[in-house]
Amino acid sequence: MDISAAPPIPWRRAPRAAVRAFWAGSTWRSLMHLVTGALVGIAGGAAIAALVATGVGGLITIIVPIIMGGILLVVNGVLTVVQRSRHTAFLGTEWPEGPFTQPVTFAPRHLLAIVKHPRTWRQLAYHAIAGIYGFLAAAFAIAAWTAGPAMVFAPLIGRESGLDPRHWILCGTGIVLTLAAPWITRGLAVLDELMARVLLGTSRAEALELRVTDLAASRDSTVDAADAERRRIERDLHDGAQQRLTSLAMNLGIARATLDDLPEEGARAIAEAHEEAKQVLTDLRDLVRGLHPAVLEDRGLDAALSAVAARSPVPVRLRVDMDRRVARDVEAVAYFVVSEALTNVARHSEAEHAAVEVSLEDGVLHLRIADDGRGGADAQAGTGLQGLSDRVRSVDGTFRITSPLGGPTEIEAELPCAS
């Protein structure tokens, strides 16, 4: 066995690590962190104590506590920014993204909302602790760096009056304290960082809230982009292919009506082409209408649903009760839900009648689509009901379906609308 290839024993590395710790950058950054922490902590603690005392002393009035509370929250925000930047500069602490302070106004309602937030009290708790811990930690660190070397020279100082065993004990203690000074400094800084992460950082609940907000914003942008793309496709088809097909169908119609001297096969070919062009044009119009109907954009949900009900092969009783238009994405979801639901009624339910009710109440758009068909509709059976549910959930809505065997089937959706 090659002994030279064996990994070094940990205790053999201890003297080298102890010596290197004296000039390691992390040691001196930790010491500067503690010294600046003492200065910021004492100043911040004194400012907070003064503001609290002034506010309590002015309880006999209303305006003084409000003003002092607002200033206290401003000071809290400033101290939080300073303390976070201090931890990042000296210890390399990384903080989660997202707002960790709130702009302060002196409106009582806004002040109350900030005061009620747990984050505010965590930050104030850290600043109160920092006023004491910062001073003590810096004092211990400075004492380790100064008292330790001084104690090492105790035998030299006591040589004139006669050496005493206590001088050698002090010397040994000084050596140990001097060697431990870098590690004491780092340990005190790490403890401060742990407290800061808990009190100045973002709690798990707040991190999840920020994540939900980011996901909601991402979803909204995706929905808006998809809606814009549908509008672009609808516009391109309407202004391009649909116009050309219309012209083609008209030309074939003219040729069919005016060319009387064609052979029977030619006349039949023109007639078939004319009918095929008209059918393709009808299909294209249905496709364009399904992408984003122009009537929905121009006249709103009431007119668009009236057109859907009029085209339905199953008689539909429509009632729309809305005193205003809602957001475009909500209108689009409501339109497609009703349109797809009526398509399912015509294809699968064997119903004789259907009813659609739309109402806007307390900022929520309520949809109800019912039919007297055979029932048994299942969202997992491939009838498009899962797609309807997904559309509704894309705007934070709720979707319910009741469809027992034998009927009737009832679909309900609630779509929140911004005021």
Side-chain angles (χ1 to χ4, degrees), residues 10 44 56 109 161 352 407:
V56 172
R109 180 179 300 178
S161 59
E352 296 182 358

Side-chain angles (χ1 to χ4, degrees), residues 83-100:
Q83 293 284 19
R84 276 191 164 211
S85 62
R86 185 174 65 88
H87 280 80
T88 300
F90 294 117
L91 304 181
T93 306
E94 295 182 358
W95 304 97
E97 296 182 358
F100 54 89

Side-chain angles (χ1 to χ4, degrees), residues 188-246:
L188 292 172
V190 168
L191 181 58
D192 186 27
E193 183 182 19
L194 291 176
M195 289 190 298
R197 284 185 180 277
V198 173
L199 298 178
L200 297 184
T202 302
S203 67
R204 179 174 177 80
E206 292 171 346
L208 290 175
E209 182 180 352
L210 290 174
R211 180 60 176 163
V212 169
T213 302
D214 291 341
L215 290 176
S218 176
R219 181 207 60 193
D220 292 341
S221 63
T222 302
V223 171
D224 291 342
D227 184 63
E229 185 66 13
R230 284 198 302 268
R231 293 169 187 270
R232 184 190 66 79
I233 295 174
E234 182 270 337
R235 184 173 57 254
D236 291 345
L237 289 176
H238 182 273
D239 297 339
Q242 187 172 338
Q243 298 297 329
R244 292 179 181 178
L245 278 174
T246 301

Side-chain angles (χ1 to χ4, degrees), residues 17 19-30 145 182-183 186:
V19 175
R20 286 182 175 179
F22 282 98
W23 62 75
S26 58
T27 299
W28 296 104
R29 286 195 299 270
S30 297
W145 285 99
W183 309 103
R186 294 184 188 182

Side-chain angles (χ1 to χ4, degrees), residues 349-368:
S349 70
E350 300 177 3
E352 296 182 358
H353 300 88
V356 175
E357 297 179 1
V358 181
S359 62
L360 180 61
E361 299 176 2
D362 299 327
V364 177
L365 187 63
H366 300 269
L367 307 178
R368 178 180 174 272

Side-chain angles (χ1 to χ4, degrees), residues 306-320:
S306 298
V308 171
R311 293 194 305 269
S312 174
V314 178
V316 178
R317 178 175 55 85
L318 174 66
R319 183 177 69 86
V320 178

